[in-house]
Amino acid sequence: LMRTAARTPEWRPAAALPECLGELSIPPKGLWLLGDAACLDAAPTRAVAIVGTREASAYGVRMARRLAAGAAHAGLVVVSG
């Protein structure tokens, strides 16, 4: 898992989001993004969401990180919901 300097999430309004999100039955009014937003445009069919609990155990956090790292290394775009 590659670690980078702390970054601040950036708000993107609906007009600045990938076209595929506008096709949802209830499209988002915007999204908070951390990372390269171009990945969303480039890979709408290669995205995977990792969703968990707000009170994860230490084991759950480790496994989520491993799953996310493995998916990213396999070329998937990891999103959270």
Side-chain angles (χ1 to χ4, degrees):
L1 182 62
M2 185 172 79
R3 300 216 183 255
T4 59
R7 295 178 285 173
T8 303
E10 177 184 334
W11 174 254
R12 292 285 177 98
L17 294 176
E19 190 177 307
C20 63
L21 292 176
E23 297 172 5
L24 296 172
S25 60
I26 303 174
K29 294 180 181 180
L31 292 176
W32 287 100
L33 299 173
L34 184 62
D36 185 0
C39 291
L40 293 174
D41 284 322
T45 60
R46 292 189 350 240
V48 61
I50 298 178
V51 182
T53 178
R54 293 177 192 264
E55 298 179 24
S57 65
Y59 173 77
V61 170
R62 279 194 318 275
M63 290 299 101
R65 285 185 178 150
R66 281 187 181 177
L67 286 169
H73 284 115
L76 297 172
V77 177
V78 180
V79 297
S80 174

mmCIF file of all heavy atoms in Angstrom, residues 34-71:
data_model
loop_
_atom_site.group_PDB
_atom_site.id
_atom_site.type_symbol
_atom_site.label_atom_id
_atom_site.label_comp_id
_atom_site.label_asym_id
_atom_site.label_seq_id
_atom_site.Cartn_x
_atom_site.Cartn_y
_atom_site.Cartn_z
ATOM 1 N N LEU A 34 -10.824 12.225 -3.295
ATOM 2 C CA LEU A 34 -9.450 12.206 -2.813
ATOM 3 C C LEU A 34 -8.685 11.323 -3.776
ATOM 4 O O LEU A 34 -8.955 10.136 -3.882
ATOM 5 C CB LEU A 34 -9.389 11.626 -1.389
ATOM 6 C CG LEU A 34 -8.037 11.624 -0.711
ATOM 7 C CD1 LEU A 34 -7.514 13.042 -0.540
ATOM 8 C CD2 LEU A 34 -8.148 10.952 0.644
ATOM 9 N N GLY A 35 -7.790 11.906 -4.526
ATOM 10 C CA GLY A 35 -7.062 11.148 -5.533
ATOM 11 C C GLY A 35 -7.277 11.756 -6.901
ATOM 12 O O GLY A 35 -7.692 12.898 -7.036
ATOM 13 N N ASP A 36 -7.033 10.980 -7.924
ATOM 14 C CA ASP A 36 -7.096 11.441 -9.302
ATOM 15 C C ASP A 36 -8.504 11.258 -9.858
ATOM 16 O O ASP A 36 -8.921 10.142 -10.165
ATOM 17 C CB ASP A 36 -6.084 10.664 -10.146
ATOM 18 C CG ASP A 36 -5.989 11.152 -11.565
ATOM 19 O OD1 ASP A 36 -6.714 12.108 -11.939
ATOM 20 O OD2 ASP A 36 -5.185 10.585 -12.315
ATOM 21 N N ALA A 37 -9.243 12.351 -9.995
ATOM 22 C CA ALA A 37 -10.624 12.285 -10.484
ATOM 23 C C ALA A 37 -10.708 11.760 -11.908
ATOM 24 O O ALA A 37 -11.737 11.221 -12.313
ATOM 25 C CB ALA A 37 -11.271 13.661 -10.392
ATOM 26 N N ALA A 38 -9.644 11.884 -12.678
ATOM 27 C CA ALA A 38 -9.641 11.387 -14.054
ATOM 28 C C ALA A 38 -9.860 9.875 -14.096
ATOM 29 O O ALA A 38 -10.351 9.349 -15.092
ATOM 30 C CB ALA A 38 -8.338 11.756 -14.744
ATOM 31 N N CYS A 39 -9.522 9.184 -13.028
ATOM 32 C CA CYS A 39 -9.732 7.730 -12.981
ATOM 33 C C CYS A 39 -11.206 7.385 -13.093
ATOM 34 O O CYS A 39 -11.563 6.352 -13.656
ATOM 35 C CB CYS A 39 -9.170 7.153 -11.689
ATOM 36 S SG CYS A 39 -7.384 7.186 -11.595
ATOM 37 N N LEU A 40 -12.079 8.230 -12.569
ATOM 38 C CA LEU A 40 -13.511 7.963 -12.656
ATOM 39 C C LEU A 40 -13.999 8.040 -14.094
ATOM 40 O O LEU A 40 -14.843 7.269 -14.519
ATOM 41 C CB LEU A 40 -14.289 8.950 -11.782
ATOM 42 C CG LEU A 40 -14.086 8.813 -10.284
ATOM 43 C CD1 LEU A 40 -14.796 9.945 -9.553
ATOM 44 C CD2 LEU A 40 -14.592 7.468 -9.799
ATOM 45 N N ASP A 41 -13.470 9.000 -14.840
ATOM 46 C CA ASP A 41 -13.855 9.138 -16.252
ATOM 47 C C ASP A 41 -13.322 7.980 -17.074
ATOM 48 O O ASP A 41 -13.995 7.473 -17.957
ATOM 49 C CB ASP A 41 -13.287 10.434 -16.836
ATOM 50 C CG ASP A 41 -14.051 11.654 -16.389
ATOM 51 O OD1 ASP A 41 -15.281 11.567 -16.278
ATOM 52 O OD2 ASP A 41 -13.412 12.688 -16.145
ATOM 53 N N ALA A 42 -12.115 7.577 -16.788
ATOM 54 C CA ALA A 42 -11.428 6.591 -17.616
ATOM 55 C C ALA A 42 -11.912 5.163 -17.375
ATOM 56 O O ALA A 42 -11.724 4.310 -18.234
ATOM 57 C CB ALA A 42 -9.928 6.669 -17.372
ATOM 58 N N ALA A 43 -12.500 4.895 -16.227
ATOM 59 C CA ALA A 43 -12.760 3.499 -15.897
ATOM 60 C C ALA A 43 -14.107 3.243 -15.235
ATOM 61 O O ALA A 43 -14.171 2.613 -14.202
ATOM 62 C CB ALA A 43 -11.642 3.004 -14.985
ATOM 63 N N PRO A 44 -15.224 3.697 -15.822
ATOM 64 C CA PRO A 44 -16.499 3.447 -15.139
ATOM 65 C C PRO A 44 -16.845 1.967 -15.021
ATOM 66 O O PRO A 44 -17.605 1.583 -14.152
ATOM 67 C CB PRO A 44 -17.524 4.194 -15.997
ATOM 68 C CG PRO A 44 -16.890 4.318 -17.328
ATOM 69 C CD PRO A 44 -15.397 4.396 -17.076
ATOM 70 N N THR A 45 -16.274 1.121 -15.864
ATOM 71 C CA THR A 45 -16.564 -0.311 -15.781
ATOM 72 C C THR A 45 -15.505 -1.067 -14.985
ATOM 73 O O THR A 45 -15.611 -2.275 -14.831
ATOM 74 C CB THR A 45 -16.674 -0.930 -17.185
ATOM 75 O OG1 THR A 45 -15.429 -0.749 -17.866
ATOM 76 C CG2 THR A 45 -17.793 -0.291 -17.980
ATOM 77 N N ARG A 46 -14.491 -0.359 -14.497
ATOM 78 C CA ARG A 46 -13.424 -0.995 -13.718
ATOM 79 C C ARG A 46 -13.397 -0.472 -12.286
ATOM 80 O O ARG A 46 -12.361 -0.459 -11.646
ATOM 81 C CB ARG A 46 -12.066 -0.726 -14.372
ATOM 82 C CG ARG A 46 -11.892 -1.408 -15.694
ATOM 83 C CD ARG A 46 -10.465 -1.312 -16.216
ATOM 84 N NE ARG A 46 -9.605 -0.414 -15.496
ATOM 85 C CZ ARG A 46 -8.987 0.641 -16.024
ATOM 86 N NH1 ARG A 46 -9.145 0.937 -17.272
ATOM 87 N NH2 ARG A 46 -8.215 1.403 -15.286
ATOM 88 N N ALA A 47 -14.538 -0.032 -11.786
ATOM 89 C CA ALA A 47 -14.595 0.505 -10.429
ATOM 90 C C ALA A 47 -15.165 -0.536 -9.475
ATOM 91 O O ALA A 47 -16.041 -1.322 -9.837
ATOM 92 C CB ALA A 47 -15.445 1.763 -10.395
ATOM 93 N N VAL A 48 -14.649 -0.535 -8.263
ATOM 94 C CA VAL A 48 -15.146 -1.423 -7.222
ATOM 95 C C VAL A 48 -15.325 -0.588 -5.950
ATOM 96 O O VAL A 48 -14.493 0.249 -5.628
ATOM 97 C CB VAL A 48 -14.178 -2.615 -6.982
ATOM 98 C CG1 VAL A 48 -12.815 -2.157 -6.537
ATOM 99 C CG2 VAL A 48 -14.759 -3.594 -5.986
ATOM 100 N N ALA A 49 -16.449 -0.777 -5.265
ATOM 101 C CA ALA A 49 -16.714 -0.061 -4.023
ATOM 102 C C ALA A 49 -16.413 -0.963 -2.845
ATOM 103 O O ALA A 49 -16.743 -2.149 -2.853
ATOM 104 C CB ALA A 49 -18.171 0.395 -3.975
ATOM 105 N N ILE A 50 -15.781 -0.399 -1.852
ATOM 106 C CA ILE A 50 -15.524 -1.125 -0.610
ATOM 107 C C ILE A 50 -16.260 -0.365 0.483
ATOM 108 O O ILE A 50 -15.921 0.768 0.804
ATOM 109 C CB ILE A 50 -14.017 -1.217 -0.318
ATOM 110 C CG1 ILE A 50 -13.334 -2.002 -1.434
ATOM 111 C CG2 ILE A 50 -13.778 -1.861 1.051
ATOM 112 C CD1 ILE A 50 -11.842 -2.121 -1.308
ATOM 113 N N VAL A 51 -17.301 -0.995 1.004
ATOM 114 C CA VAL A 51 -18.160 -0.357 1.989
ATOM 115 C C VAL A 51 -18.099 -1.176 3.271
ATOM 116 O O VAL A 51 -18.126 -2.397 3.237
ATOM 117 C CB VAL A 51 -19.620 -0.286 1.477
ATOM 118 C CG1 VAL A 51 -20.509 0.422 2.471
ATOM 119 C CG2 VAL A 51 -19.668 0.413 0.120
ATOM 120 N N GLY A 52 -18.015 -0.498 4.398
ATOM 121 C CA GLY A 52 -17.924 -1.212 5.663
ATOM 122 C C GLY A 52 -18.690 -0.510 6.761
ATOM 123 O O GLY A 52 -19.562 0.321 6.508
ATOM 124 N N THR A 53 -18.323 -0.827 7.958
ATOM 125 C CA THR A 53 -18.975 -0.274 9.133
ATOM 126 C C THR A 53 -18.235 0.954 9.647
ATOM 127 O O THR A 53 -17.048 1.126 9.398
ATOM 128 C CB THR A 53 -19.055 -1.339 10.249
ATOM 129 O OG1 THR A 53 -19.664 -0.763 11.399
ATOM 130 C CG2 THR A 53 -17.676 -1.852 10.634
ATOM 131 N N ARG A 54 -18.919 1.798 10.379
ATOM 132 C CA ARG A 54 -18.283 2.976 10.972
ATOM 133 C C ARG A 54 -17.410 2.587 12.170
ATOM 134 O O ARG A 54 -16.550 3.340 12.578
ATOM 135 C CB ARG A 54 -19.335 3.987 11.418
ATOM 136 C CG ARG A 54 -20.085 4.603 10.274
ATOM 137 C CD ARG A 54 -21.158 5.533 10.795
ATOM 138 N NE ARG A 54 -22.052 5.909 9.729
ATOM 139 C CZ ARG A 54 -21.942 7.026 9.021
ATOM 140 N NH1 ARG A 54 -20.975 7.855 9.281
ATOM 141 N NH2 ARG A 54 -22.796 7.300 8.070
ATOM 142 N N GLU A 55 -17.659 1.423 12.729
ATOM 143 C CA GLU A 55 -16.911 0.976 13.905
ATOM 144 C C GLU A 55 -16.194 -0.338 13.595
ATOM 145 O O GLU A 55 -16.431 -1.363 14.241
ATOM 146 C CB GLU A 55 -17.858 0.816 15.094
ATOM 147 C CG GLU A 55 -18.513 2.125 15.493
ATOM 148 C CD GLU A 55 -19.458 1.963 16.658
ATOM 149 O OE1 GLU A 55 -19.301 1.011 17.447
ATOM 150 O OE2 GLU A 55 -20.359 2.805 16.780
ATOM 151 N N ALA A 56 -15.298 -0.286 12.638
ATOM 152 C CA ALA A 56 -14.595 -1.492 12.206
ATOM 153 C C ALA A 56 -13.596 -1.954 13.259
ATOM 154 O O ALA A 56 -12.986 -1.145 13.954
ATOM 155 C CB ALA A 56 -13.862 -1.221 10.899
ATOM 156 N N SER A 57 -13.418 -3.250 13.338
ATOM 157 C CA SER A 57 -12.391 -3.817 14.218
ATOM 158 C C SER A 57 -11.030 -3.614 13.559
ATOM 159 O O SER A 57 -10.934 -3.297 12.370
ATOM 160 C CB SER A 57 -12.650 -5.319 14.394
ATOM 161 O OG SER A 57 -12.478 -5.984 13.151
ATOM 162 N N ALA A 58 -9.974 -3.814 14.305
ATOM 163 C CA ALA A 58 -8.622 -3.706 13.751
ATOM 164 C C ALA A 58 -8.450 -4.695 12.599
ATOM 165 O O ALA A 58 -7.861 -4.368 11.565
ATOM 166 C CB ALA A 58 -7.577 -3.950 14.842
ATOM 167 N N TYR A 59 -8.988 -5.909 12.766
ATOM 168 C CA TYR A 59 -8.923 -6.911 11.707
ATOM 169 C C TYR A 59 -9.670 -6.426 10.465
ATOM 170 O O TYR A 59 -9.173 -6.547 9.344
ATOM 171 C CB TYR A 59 -9.521 -8.236 12.192
ATOM 172 C CG TYR A 59 -9.635 -9.267 11.102
ATOM 173 C CD1 TYR A 59 -8.515 -9.970 10.661
ATOM 174 C CD2 TYR A 59 -10.856 -9.534 10.502
ATOM 175 C CE1 TYR A 59 -8.615 -10.912 9.650
ATOM 176 C CE2 TYR A 59 -10.964 -10.477 9.488
ATOM 177 C CZ TYR A 59 -9.843 -11.160 9.070
ATOM 178 O OH TYR A 59 -9.945 -12.077 8.065
ATOM 179 N N GLY A 60 -10.858 -5.866 10.641
ATOM 180 C CA GLY A 60 -11.647 -5.369 9.517
ATOM 181 C C GLY A 60 -10.921 -4.265 8.755
ATOM 182 O O GLY A 60 -10.944 -4.228 7.522
ATOM 183 N N VAL A 61 -10.274 -3.359 9.476
ATOM 184 C CA VAL A 61 -9.517 -2.281 8.835
ATOM 185 C C VAL A 61 -8.359 -2.862 8.031
ATOM 186 O O VAL A 61 -8.126 -2.473 6.880
ATOM 187 C CB VAL A 61 -9.007 -1.270 9.885
ATOM 188 C CG1 VAL A 61 -8.026 -0.284 9.270
ATOM 189 C CG2 VAL A 61 -10.180 -0.534 10.527
ATOM 190 N N ARG A 62 -7.632 -3.827 8.614
ATOM 191 C CA ARG A 62 -6.511 -4.458 7.891
ATOM 192 C C ARG A 62 -6.987 -5.138 6.619
ATOM 193 O O ARG A 62 -6.375 -5.018 5.561
ATOM 194 C CB ARG A 62 -5.798 -5.480 8.780
ATOM 195 C CG ARG A 62 -4.823 -4.895 9.748
ATOM 196 C CD ARG A 62 -3.896 -5.942 10.363
ATOM 197 N NE ARG A 62 -4.514 -7.200 10.754
ATOM 198 C CZ ARG A 62 -5.124 -7.432 11.922
ATOM 199 N NH1 ARG A 62 -5.193 -6.486 12.832
ATOM 200 N NH2 ARG A 62 -5.648 -8.611 12.188
ATOM 201 N N MET A 63 -8.087 -5.866 6.701
ATOM 202 C CA MET A 63 -8.597 -6.582 5.534
ATOM 203 C C MET A 63 -9.099 -5.613 4.467
ATOM 204 O O MET A 63 -8.866 -5.830 3.271
ATOM 205 C CB MET A 63 -9.724 -7.542 5.934
ATOM 206 C CG MET A 63 -9.249 -8.740 6.750
ATOM 207 S SD MET A 63 -8.065 -9.764 5.835
ATOM 208 C CE MET A 63 -6.527 -9.252 6.525
ATOM 209 N N ALA A 64 -9.761 -4.538 4.865
ATOM 210 C CA ALA A 64 -10.228 -3.548 3.897
ATOM 211 C C ALA A 64 -9.047 -2.913 3.170
ATOM 212 O O ALA A 64 -9.085 -2.721 1.948
ATOM 213 C CB ALA A 64 -11.065 -2.478 4.588
ATOM 214 N N ARG A 65 -7.988 -2.618 3.904
ATOM 215 C CA ARG A 65 -6.790 -2.045 3.281
ATOM 216 C C ARG A 65 -6.161 -3.037 2.310
ATOM 217 O O ARG A 65 -5.736 -2.659 1.218
ATOM 218 C CB ARG A 65 -5.784 -1.633 4.339
ATOM 219 C CG ARG A 65 -6.179 -0.363 5.041
ATOM 220 C CD ARG A 65 -5.121 0.089 6.000
ATOM 221 N NE ARG A 65 -5.521 1.346 6.608
ATOM 222 C CZ ARG A 65 -5.184 1.721 7.811
ATOM 223 N NH1 ARG A 65 -4.405 0.952 8.555
ATOM 224 N NH2 ARG A 65 -5.588 2.874 8.291
ATOM 225 N N ARG A 66 -6.108 -4.308 2.691
ATOM 226 C CA ARG A 66 -5.539 -5.321 1.795
ATOM 227 C C ARG A 66 -6.371 -5.479 0.538
ATOM 228 O O ARG A 66 -5.842 -5.587 -0.565
ATOM 229 C CB ARG A 66 -5.442 -6.672 2.507
ATOM 230 C CG ARG A 66 -4.281 -6.793 3.424
ATOM 231 C CD ARG A 66 -4.197 -8.214 3.935
ATOM 232 N NE ARG A 66 -3.093 -8.359 4.859
ATOM 233 C CZ ARG A 66 -2.824 -9.469 5.500
ATOM 234 N NH1 ARG A 66 -3.596 -10.534 5.330
ATOM 235 N NH2 ARG A 66 -1.801 -9.538 6.323
ATOM 236 N N LEU A 67 -7.696 -5.519 0.708
ATOM 237 C CA LEU A 67 -8.581 -5.639 -0.452
ATOM 238 C C LEU A 67 -8.441 -4.437 -1.381
ATOM 239 O O LEU A 67 -8.347 -4.584 -2.603
ATOM 240 C CB LEU A 67 -10.033 -5.768 -0.001
ATOM 241 C CG LEU A 67 -10.435 -7.110 0.596
ATOM 242 C CD1 LEU A 67 -11.805 -7.000 1.244
ATOM 243 C CD2 LEU A 67 -10.426 -8.187 -0.466
ATOM 244 N N ALA A 68 -8.409 -3.234 -0.809
ATOM 245 C CA ALA A 68 -8.286 -2.020 -1.619
ATOM 246 C C ALA A 68 -6.951 -1.993 -2.352
ATOM 247 O O ALA A 68 -6.896 -1.671 -3.546
ATOM 248 C CB ALA A 68 -8.440 -0.787 -0.741
ATOM 249 N N ALA A 69 -5.874 -2.338 -1.661
ATOM 250 C CA ALA A 69 -4.551 -2.336 -2.287
ATOM 251 C C ALA A 69 -4.488 -3.365 -3.410
ATOM 252 O O ALA A 69 -3.981 -3.081 -4.501
ATOM 253 C CB ALA A 69 -3.469 -2.611 -1.246
ATOM 254 N N GLY A 70 -5.015 -4.547 -3.164
ATOM 255 C CA GLY A 70 -5.006 -5.586 -4.194
ATOM 256 C C GLY A 70 -5.823 -5.185 -5.408
ATOM 257 O O GLY A 70 -5.396 -5.396 -6.549
ATOM 258 N N ALA A 71 -6.983 -4.583 -5.179
ATOM 259 C CA ALA A 71 -7.821 -4.148 -6.294
ATOM 260 C C ALA A 71 -7.121 -3.049 -7.090
ATOM 261 O O ALA A 71 -7.128 -3.064 -8.323
ATOM 262 C CB ALA A 71 -9.174 -3.645 -5.776
#
